[in-house]
Amino acid sequence: MWGAYLASALVIGCGQGVGLTEHSGLTIDAPEVITLSPSDSQLLAARHLVRDGEVGDRVATPEWTSSDPDVASVDERGVVLAHAPYGHAWIRAESDGWRDSITVAVQPAESTPSSFEITLHFAHDVPQDWRDALTVAKGTWERVIRRPLPEVEISPLTEHCGWNWPADHPILQGTEDGVRIMVTVGYDFPEDTYVEAVGGPCIHRGLPWPTTVVGTIVVNADKFGEARDAFRWTYLAHHEMGHTFGLAGVIQGFDPPYFDGQSGAYRGRLALWGFKQDTGRLADVLFTSNGSHWQAPGVMGVGSWIRDGPNPTIGSTSIGSLMDLGYPAAWYGAGQVPDVLPRPAAAPD
């Protein structure tokens, strides 16, 4: 277990009680998100808030409940126990009409080797630079997504993926518990476009929200002659591969409950917490626009997918979103250990 860390991305606690005089709210004396390995436990406590919103000395004796006891249970003393190999659950405390909640994210122990696998299929004309960079990205994403996904049968792919699947490539079929990605070259991108490549999911499984079985990446042939440094190649590969998993907001067929397709707002609880870790700034929602890239004033653009630096890694926002989608992902898989950030003493319901 690598412990629990304090954070403050999105607090949904503190109900609006009626007729109470001795206190004005309730707060769980714990991080907004705590991370546990299977069989780990964490003792929680709750305190009442006084009128000015500050935490008082009075320790509450709330009723504790879990949104998913199969992932993480909580007993009457406030002891949380992680059960599932991965997943997340909300732990709620309620007393005298006031309530607060935190999220428990269960992730495999850091010493557990990842058993998730990405299979890359390259069309014959994909340049070696792209092949090398995508192979590096494959290794990073495999460390982040820790475990295989539920098995699904793949029918022969003749029409499912449209023009992205080359007719001369052997048809894929069989059982899949990872993700397969077809990488092809596009020769008909709009003239003078800045787009170097596009990526996205092709066939989904539900977990309970869509996760990728087969994805596609199409690289722009018109950009092959442009000079790029090693960082740019690596960045592009990680970025487009992230899109194949369903990041940031394109969900085919329906909108999961944390994404509003009309407004483009993404409200994923763990993504928002990751945003706070990445930026140090509180976000209520993330918006998608411009090719389904997250947007937030001055921060969430294309560049935020990968942290700046000579060895780019996947940011906490993206890893949190994978968990919101149902992937068995872990922040430590990309070298991300959440910072210690205090949560507000009082928070709106």
Side-chain angles (χ1 to χ4, degrees):
M1 169 184 175
W2 50 277
Y5 294 85
L6 295 175
S8 61
L10 177 65
V11 182
I12 64 168
C14 301
Q16 302 299 314
V18 178
L20 301 178
T21 57
E22 69 274 17
H23 55 268
S24 62
L26 183 75
T27 184
I28 297 175
D29 189 14
E32 173 60 18
V33 175
I34 63 175
T35 305
L36 300 176
S37 296
S39 299
D40 281 343
S41 63
Q42 175 86 21
L43 175 63
L44 301 179
R47 293 182 181 273
H48 289 295
L49 301 179
V50 295
R51 283 296 179 184
D52 59 3
E54 295 182 355
V55 179
D57 294 332
R58 181 181 170 189
V59 178
T61 55
E63 178 183 356
W64 296 95
T65 56
S66 170
S67 65
D68 193 342
D70 291 335
V71 174
S73 62
V74 61
D75 66 15
E76 67 278 2
R77 300 168 297 164
V79 176
V80 178
L81 179 61
H83 299 284
Y86 61 86
H88 55 274
W90 293 7
I91 304 298
R92 169 173 283 186
E94 187 163 0
S95 177
D96 297 332
W98 302 96
R99 62 187 182 272
D100 192 16
S101 68
I102 65 168
T103 297
V104 174
V106 182
Q107 301 181 347
E110 191 167 358
S111 59
T112 305
S114 175
S115 52
F116 179 75
E117 185 174 1
I118 300 167
T119 304
L120 294 172
H121 298 274
F122 293 103
H124 65 88
D125 50 354
V126 176
Q128 190 62 46
D129 286 339
W130 267 108
R131 294 172 185 251
D132 293 343
L134 286 166
T135 299
V136 172
K138 160 183 151 73
T140 306
W141 285 108
E142 286 176 339
R143 290 191 297 273
V144 166
I145 305 174
R146 304 296 297 174
R147 292 174 177 267
L149 303 168
E151 291 186 350
V152 293
E153 289 290 329
I154 299 180
S155 301
L157 300 176
T158 54
E159 299 177 358
H160 298 81
C161 299
W163 61 272
N164 288 338
W165 205 269
D168 61 348
H169 193 278
I171 293 174
L172 297 180
Q173 54 186 319
T175 303
E176 181 61 77
D177 63 0
V179 173
R180 304 189 190 192
I181 301 175
M182 169 57 70
V183 186
T184 61
V185 177
Y187 297 93
D188 55 356
F189 279 77
E191 187 175 358
D192 296 327
T193 181
Y194 69 91
V195 175
E196 294 162 287
V198 295
C202 180
I203 299 176
H204 285 306
R205 60 161 71 77
L207 245 193
W209 309 115
T211 60
T212 300
V213 179
V214 177
T216 61
I217 295 174
V218 183
V219 299
N220 187 355
D222 295 337
K223 303 294 183 179
F224 288 171
E226 296 183 2
R228 296 186 183 92
D229 59 23
F231 176 86
R232 182 64 178 171
W233 281 112
T234 307
Y235 163 76
L236 288 170
H238 283 78
H239 179 107
E240 299 306 335
M241 196 169 290
H243 277 312
T244 68
F245 301 130
L247 304 176
V250 173
I251 303 297
Q252 297 174 356
F254 66 93
D255 293 329
Y258 45 75
F259 179 73
D260 183 338
Q262 289 189 322
S263 68
Y266 186 100
R267 298 182 178 91
R269 185 177 178 92
L270 294 170
L272 292 169
W273 181 70
F275 178 90
K276 179 69 172 180
Q277 300 300 313
D278 278 338
T279 67
R281 298 167 61 179
L282 184 67
D284 293 324
V285 294
L286 304 177
F287 292 91
T288 61
S289 62
N290 185 27
S292 193
H293 296 127
W294 276 311
Q295 303 293 323
V299 179
M300 292 302 297
V302 176
S304 63
W305 284 77
I306 312 278
R307 287 174 183 260
D308 293 336
N311 298 303
T313 58
I314 300 163
S316 296
T317 311
S318 296
I319 299 173
S321 323
L322 288 173
M323 287 189 282
D324 286 331
L325 285 169
Y327 285 94
W331 281 289
Y332 62 75
Q336 301 286 3
V337 177
D339 300 325
V340 178
L341 296 172
R343 66 190 292 240
D349 181 50

